[in-house]
Amino acid sequence: MTEHRDHAQGIAVTELSKQYGRQTALDKVTAHFEQGKIHGLLGRNGAGKTTLMSIICNHSFKSSGSVQVDGHNPAENARILDRMCFVHENQRWHDAYTAGMILRLAKRFYPHWEHALCERMVRRLELPVNSRAGKLSRGQRSALAVTIALASHAQYTFLDEPYLGMDATAREVFYEELAVTQAQDQRTFLMSSHLIDECAALLETVTILHHGRVINASSVDDATANTWVFTGSQELADRVLAGTEILSLTTMGAMCSMVFRGAISDERHSALRAASMAELRNATLQELVSAIGGAQSDNEMQGE
């Protein structure tokens, strides 16, 4: 089922803005999501992740800027929209339909539907296909959503935290099946998640939004390579890290724990590591996202 992919294309968002009255959901967002990769779209609640996905999929209208998918505007473009699948956390279906009916209906919308993958997901996630949607638990509704997302084999698949309702075992099944299907035939996935440490190994790029603005857009490795966590003497941190971009800081007496960003010299590196009761390590992606959200909010409060 392998299709030709032009990796120079993908999704290109330029100066994209969205306003709801006086509220700005997206503020001149520019980003590129290359074909054939799993992209992480991360940030706090209200950062603009769902709005961005909705506009790309033509579920919502932009206020200004542009969206191009494979070089074309997806708005009212059936050829582009037919290659998209968008599922989200609060996915709704008619309560009278059974899970099996919903899967059979979904198959009609996706020409490359993978029946074998659908059947395997149903079995592994223990999805009750004869239960009506209105009777499904939150976890079962999430299982139904991710089954549709993966089995659709849509070239562009958008996952707006539909797996949050699943337990740890079910989420592990989802991550495994996502990795397998991506290895067999590369698709383009755009995932938002608050369970960042769980899915970080799957992501190839990360775009971090905060209050509708892009704070970081890079590979996962580049995002964390020069982001650090230091725990130790605050006096030492103040002296050695003067002028460094501090993303978050927690103090307890003379000790502190901080997340900071930027390249550090060998001299600074040695000074921080050599101190008694001190630890210096690279931040995880979860720590980076949390620190950026916290730092941005602190700055906004101080500005007010």
Side-chain angles (χ1 to χ4, degrees):
M1 194 180 294
T2 301
E3 302 173 20
H4 174 70
R5 306 272 197 246
D6 183 351
H7 289 273
Q9 296 188 7
I11 303 170
V13 177
T14 306
E15 295 287 303
L16 187 67
S17 293
K18 174 64 176 179
Q19 293 180 310
Y20 297 97
R22 295 183 179 180
Q23 180 182 359
T24 300
L26 295 176
D27 188 3
K28 297 182 179 179
V29 168
T30 295
H32 179 252
F33 303 103
E34 185 180 341
Q35 275 191 359
K37 292 186 176 182
I38 302 177
H39 304 277
L41 186 61
L42 308 178
R44 301 180 66 177
N45 289 335
K49 306 184 296 295
T50 299
T51 301
L52 178 57
M53 290 185 181
S54 297
I55 292 175
I56 295 172
C57 295
N58 201 40
H59 290 195
S60 181
F61 300 106
K62 59 185 173 62
S63 298
S64 61
S66 69
V67 176
Q68 297 282 306
V69 178
D70 293 343
H72 301 279
N73 184 353
E76 299 182 11
N77 187 328
R79 188 174 66 86
I80 297 295
L81 296 176
D82 284 348
R83 292 186 289 156
M84 292 183 173
C85 178
F86 180 27
V87 295
H88 42 84
E89 180 186 5
N90 58 346
Q91 192 80 37
R92 297 293 300 176
W93 293 280
H94 197 293
D95 287 347
Y97 289 0
T98 66
M101 292 170 61
I102 293 168
L103 290 173
R104 289 192 293 273
L105 287 170
K107 181 180 179 179
R108 300 182 181 180
F109 290 93
Y110 302 105
H112 300 295
W113 181 268
E114 293 188 61
H115 180 73
L117 175 56
C118 176
E119 291 295 306
R120 189 168 68 248
M121 292 284 287
V122 167
R123 183 180 70 255
R124 297 191 68 189
L125 294 173
E126 300 180 355
L127 184 61
V129 293
N130 294 322
S131 295
R132 298 191 181 278
K135 300 296 184 179
L136 296 178
S137 68
R138 185 188 180 198
Q140 291 168 338
R141 297 177 74 90
S142 295
L144 178 58
V146 299
T147 297
I148 292 172
L150 295 190
S152 72
H153 204 83
Q155 183 176 354
Y156 290 99
T157 303
F158 300 80
L159 299 162
D160 188 16
E161 306 197 75
Y163 34 83
L164 281 183
M166 299 190 297
D167 59 33
T169 300
R171 292 198 305 273
E172 192 60 36
V173 169
F174 163 67
Y175 299 141
E176 180 183 323
E177 292 289 352
L178 172 57
V180 168
T181 190
Q182 185 69 350
Q184 292 173 342
D185 185 14
Q186 293 182 339
R187 297 154 60 181
T188 305
F189 287 92
L190 193 56
M191 296 175 57
S192 70
S193 179
H194 291 302
L195 304 172
I196 300 171
D197 282 343
E198 282 192 4
C199 66
L202 291 168
L203 305 180
E204 297 172 78
T205 78
V206 56
T207 299
I208 303 175
L209 296 179
H210 187 74
H211 286 188
R213 299 175 183 174
V214 175
I215 305 299
N216 180 91
S218 67
S219 70
V220 174
D221 289 341
D222 287 345
T224 57
N226 287 318
T227 305
W228 307 86
V229 177
F230 172 74
T231 304
S233 164
Q234 184 173 358
E235 183 277 328
L236 174 65
D238 291 342
R239 174 164 46 85
V240 175
L241 297 176
T244 303
E245 181 185 6
I246 308 299
L247 297 178
S248 70
L249 173 64
T250 303
T251 61
M252 181 176 292
M255 304 295 287
C256 74
S257 177
M258 66 167 56
V259 179
F260 65 95
R261 186 163 56 178
I264 56 175
S265 65
D266 291 341
E267 181 181 359
R268 284 184 169 186
H269 195 279
S270 298
L272 293 173
R273 284 187 176 275
S276 175
M277 299 179 64
E279 179 188 17
L280 177 67
R281 60 174 175 81
N282 282 107
T284 66
L285 188 58
Q286 176 81 58
E287 289 169 330
L288 170 61
V289 174
S290 297
I292 285 177
Q296 293 293 322
S297 296
D298 291 344
N299 291 341
E300 288 154 8
M301 291 179 66
Q302 290 171 8
E304 291 175 1

